[in-house]
Amino acid sequence: MHAVKEEAMVAVARADHAEVLDVVCLQERVLQLCAEGKAKLQGVCSLREAVYDKAMQELIRQVTVLCPERGLLLAELTEEIKESTGTYDLLFDSACQYAVRKAIERDLYRTMLRELDDLRVQSRTIENRVQELRAKREGLEKRFAEQRETERKQHEDEVAFLKRGNAQLSAEIKRLTL
């Protein structure tokens, strides 16, 4: 926070009522202090807030000299306004934190959805590859089964041929030996 010159706001208390010229001078002094401290003209500015707070305290002091009850009421109102402002600041901070949290959740949700879509695509790709490999395996099994069946038939035909040849030779041997 910026330091505010306190002696600039303090004036000698007078018993008579403030004139318009006094108010204008105080306003000009407040604007001058804001300009010297390079306070922002709009938005949140701690320097401008401090200058206005000091000006309000000086006004309350001046009013209290003339009418203590009014000064006390103004002081209470000022404190109530400060408490309300503090509450609004707290609510604002809480809302900002909530908004940030929700933005992070939204981004995380979007990221997770993208990852989920990527995983689904990968899953479909892998499932397609599995189907291709199963089809290839079934084709190979069918081809090997057909090949085994062909070899088995050839073997049976060969065995049958050899048995016929053996039977013919046996018959020929029996016929010759008899």
Side-chain angles (χ1 to χ4, degrees), residues 96-115:
C96 287
Q97 290 173 1
Y98 178 78
V100 167
R101 223 176 17 255
K102 284 300 177 181
I104 290 171
E105 286 176 8
R106 183 193 65 228
D107 292 344
L108 182 62
Y109 180 73
R110 285 180 182 168
T111 303
M112 290 175 68
L113 282 180
R114 278 194 300 270
E115 288 178 7

Side-chain angles (χ1 to χ4, degrees), residues 2 16 18-19 28 37 43 52 57 71 85 99 104 107 113-114 136 141 147 157 164 167 171 175:
H2 302 289
D16 58 342
E19 297 176 4
E28 286 177 1
Y52 276 80
Q57 288 174 6
T85 304
I104 290 171
D107 292 344
L113 282 180
R114 278 194 300 270
K136 187 175 181 179
E141 286 177 352
Q147 188 177 7
D157 290 345
R164 277 193 311 265
R175 187 181 62 85

Side-chain angles (χ1 to χ4, degrees), residues 2-178:
H2 302 289
V4 177
K5 298 177 186 175
E6 288 194 33
E7 70 276 353
M9 294 294 177
V10 178
V12 177
R14 296 187 330 212
D16 58 342
H17 293 286
E19 297 176 4
V20 174
L21 186 59
D22 294 335
V23 175
V24 170
C25 287
L26 181 60
Q27 182 180 11
E28 286 177 1
R29 184 66 185 141
V30 166
L31 293 176
Q32 181 185 3
L33 285 174
C34 285
E36 287 174 4
K38 297 183 181 176
K40 296 180 187 175
L41 296 177
Q42 296 176 345
V44 178
C45 177
S46 58
L47 177 63
R48 191 181 76 229
E49 186 177 332
V51 169
Y52 276 80
D53 186 44
K54 294 295 180 187
M56 187 65 182
Q57 288 174 6
E58 177 60 22
L59 286 173
I60 291 171
R61 187 189 67 76
Q62 289 176 10
V63 169
T64 304
V65 168
L66 297 175
C67 181
E69 293 82 13
R70 281 187 182 169
L72 184 61
L73 179 61
L74 279 174
E76 288 176 10
L77 289 173
T78 303
E79 284 303 312
E80 188 64 33
I81 289 171
K82 284 181 183 178
E83 287 179 18
S84 295
T85 304
T87 303
Y88 292 142
D89 287 342
L90 183 66
L91 285 172
F92 178 76
D93 290 342
S94 177
C96 287
Q97 290 173 1
Y98 178 78
V100 167
R101 223 176 17 255
K102 284 300 177 181
I104 290 171
E105 286 176 8
R106 183 193 65 228
D107 292 344
L108 182 62
Y109 180 73
R110 285 180 182 168
T111 303
M112 290 175 68
L113 282 180
R114 278 194 300 270
E115 288 178 7
L116 180 63
D117 288 342
D118 291 345
L119 289 174
R120 284 182 178 156
V121 167
Q122 288 178 1
S123 175
R124 280 189 229 116
T125 304
I126 291 171
E127 286 174 0
N128 290 339
R129 181 71 178 143
V130 167
Q131 291 299 325
E132 289 173 7
L133 292 174
R134 282 185 182 157
K136 187 175 181 179
R137 187 194 76 209
E138 289 172 2
L140 288 173
E141 286 177 352
K142 185 177 179 183
R143 192 174 92 208
F144 288 141
E146 289 172 355
Q147 188 177 7
R148 276 193 306 265
E149 184 62 29
T150 303
E151 288 175 0
R152 187 188 61 77
K153 279 191 168 197
Q154 285 177 351
H155 180 69
E156 286 177 359
D157 290 345
E158 190 177 321
V159 168
F161 175 75
L162 290 174
K163 281 184 181 181
R164 277 193 311 265
N166 194 17
Q168 287 175 354
L169 287 174
S170 293
E172 188 67 32
I173 291 176
K174 280 185 187 181
R175 187 181 62 85
L176 288 177
T177 56
L178 281 181

